[in-house]
Amino acid sequence: QDYFHCLLCTTEREEFIVPIRAIGARAVLDFPDQLDFSVCPVKYSTQKTLMVRNLGNRDARYQISTQSPFSVIPTMGTLGIGDTLQVTVEFHPLQTGDHSKTPLCFVPGEDTHTSLRGSAVNVHIRLERNSVTVEQTYITLSNQSTVRIHNHSNVTARFQWKAFATREEEEQVKQRLCHRLCEQENARADNFLEWSRADTTRGERLSLLSHIFQSERAEVRGDPMLFFDDIFTIEPLEGEIWPNSSAEISVIFSPQEARVYKHAVYCDISG
């Protein structure tokens, strides 16, 4: 904190003011004004590293925050006088187009703003074809066909075969499943309380029941929602494709009755 005060000096003939200023000790982090990621592949993680030094005359207790599609590590800590900190900024856009955010580095008494910019584009990664027809087969037997993913870019592409087209649809399904689990937990707890009124250990059992449902909800939130079906099987469901390479995907058809089957599946792939 800086201080300012005025002394009023009075003599027999005049009055005059003596200003007093004191600059408080402070931390000064030399963040750049702007960090430009330029053009990057969509759904792909690009990182830049900054070396930040404390040029001030007191320790810096800092907090760094920003918003998606940018992230920063570390987010908080203490940097001594003259010490250097390595800050990693990640750009992971989920949609094509220009992106810009302003991260804020807060140090007591100081605010530092850095403009983050980046542009996300589609790189040359494609499916060999958009539909697969598997030849007919007999019930209880199976047949298969293949499709290739071609990576003609310079990045390592990670793919996942998904049951839903967008992440928004996945989140809606996860929310419905978690809500259903909450309803089941409440119903089970009510039934248990009715059944165990005289049980002295019911508090511990209720705690265990709650822990089980919490674990199930955590599994739902972390579920990647990969494709699953009784009739069609995709192998592999996920993996990586090196730059300028291809991956062969098998589609296995195992009918359970004599009819025509159709299904939609979505390939979520970085780039």
Side-chain angles (χ1 to χ4, degrees):
Q1 180 176 344
D2 298 338
Y3 296 87
F4 175 76
H5 193 71
C6 289
L7 289 180
L8 175 62
C9 297
T10 304
T11 68
E12 295 177 351
R13 297 183 177 181
E14 59 183 349
E15 292 182 351
F16 58 92
I17 295 175
V18 179
I20 300 176
R21 296 181 183 273
I23 307 300
R26 65 185 61 197
V28 179
L29 301 183
D30 59 341
F31 272 96
D33 295 331
Q34 180 173 317
L35 184 61
D36 193 348
F37 282 84
S38 188
V39 178
C40 301
V42 70
K43 294 185 179 181
Y44 188 80
S45 176
T46 304
Q47 295 182 341
K48 286 184 177 291
T49 300
L50 303 176
M51 302 305 295
V52 180
R53 189 181 179 193
N54 183 4
L55 303 177
N57 51 6
R58 68 173 295 178
D59 292 347
R61 296 188 300 275
Y62 62 87
Q63 292 181 342
I64 310 175
S65 62
T66 187
Q67 295 178 335
S68 179
F70 299 95
S71 60
V72 180
I73 298 176
T75 57
M76 63 177 61
T78 301
L79 188 62
I81 301 171
D83 291 345
T84 301
L85 171 71
Q86 179 175 301
V87 177
T88 301
V89 184
E90 182 181 55
F91 178 43
H92 192 103
L94 298 180
Q95 296 179 341
T96 58
D98 296 331
H99 300 267
S100 62
K101 295 291 181 182
T102 301
L104 167 67
C105 178
F106 174 76
V107 178
E110 299 288 335
D111 285 339
T112 303
H113 300 268
T114 301
S115 176
L116 300 180
R117 301 180 183 275
S119 180
V121 297
N122 289 315
V123 294
H124 196 185
I125 302 173
R126 64 181 181 84
L127 287 171
E128 179 183 45
R129 47 202 165 110
N130 292 326
S131 65
V132 175
T133 301
V134 184
E135 295 297 329
Q136 64 182 12
T137 186
Y138 297 101
I139 297 174
T140 72
L141 298 180
S142 62
N143 207 343
Q144 75 175 47
S145 183
T146 59
V147 63
R148 289 179 176 270
I149 305 174
H150 298 294
N151 180 8
H152 297 298
S153 72
N154 295 321
V155 301
T156 299
R158 178 167 181 81
F159 68 90
Q160 290 182 316
W161 291 97
K162 297 273 195 170
F164 302 98
T166 64
R167 298 198 177 191
E168 288 75 14
E169 291 182 44
E170 290 181 3
E171 289 303 319
Q172 290 175 3
V173 172
K174 289 180 180 180
Q175 289 178 5
R176 288 198 295 268
L177 291 175
C178 288
H179 180 69
R180 192 176 305 165
L181 286 172
C182 287
E183 292 179 341
Q184 292 177 4
E185 180 183 2
N186 293 334
R188 290 276 295 275
D190 291 341
N191 293 337
F192 177 75
L193 288 175
E194 285 291 331
W195 172 76
S196 61
R197 288 182 178 178
D199 190 347
T200 58
T201 64
R202 67 177 186 173
E204 297 177 2
R205 296 189 180 186
L206 276 176
S207 177
L208 177 60
L209 179 66
S210 176
H211 179 73
I212 292 173
F213 276 97
Q214 286 179 4
S215 299
E216 291 182 354
R217 286 194 293 270
E219 289 182 5
V220 169
R221 296 188 188 100
D223 190 345
M225 292 289 174
L226 298 179
F227 175 77
F228 175 80
D229 185 67
D230 293 332
I231 307 301
F232 293 100
T233 304
I234 295 179
E235 295 179 354
L237 273 175
E238 56 184 330
E240 292 183 343
I241 311 174
W242 291 97
N244 300 305
S245 301
S246 299
E248 185 173 279
I249 309 299
S250 297
V251 181
I252 303 170
F253 173 49
S254 304
Q256 297 179 354
E257 57 182 274
R259 68 179 182 87
V260 177
Y261 292 85
K262 291 184 179 181
H263 211 302
V265 59
Y266 306 92
C267 188
D268 183 17
I269 185 165
S270 54

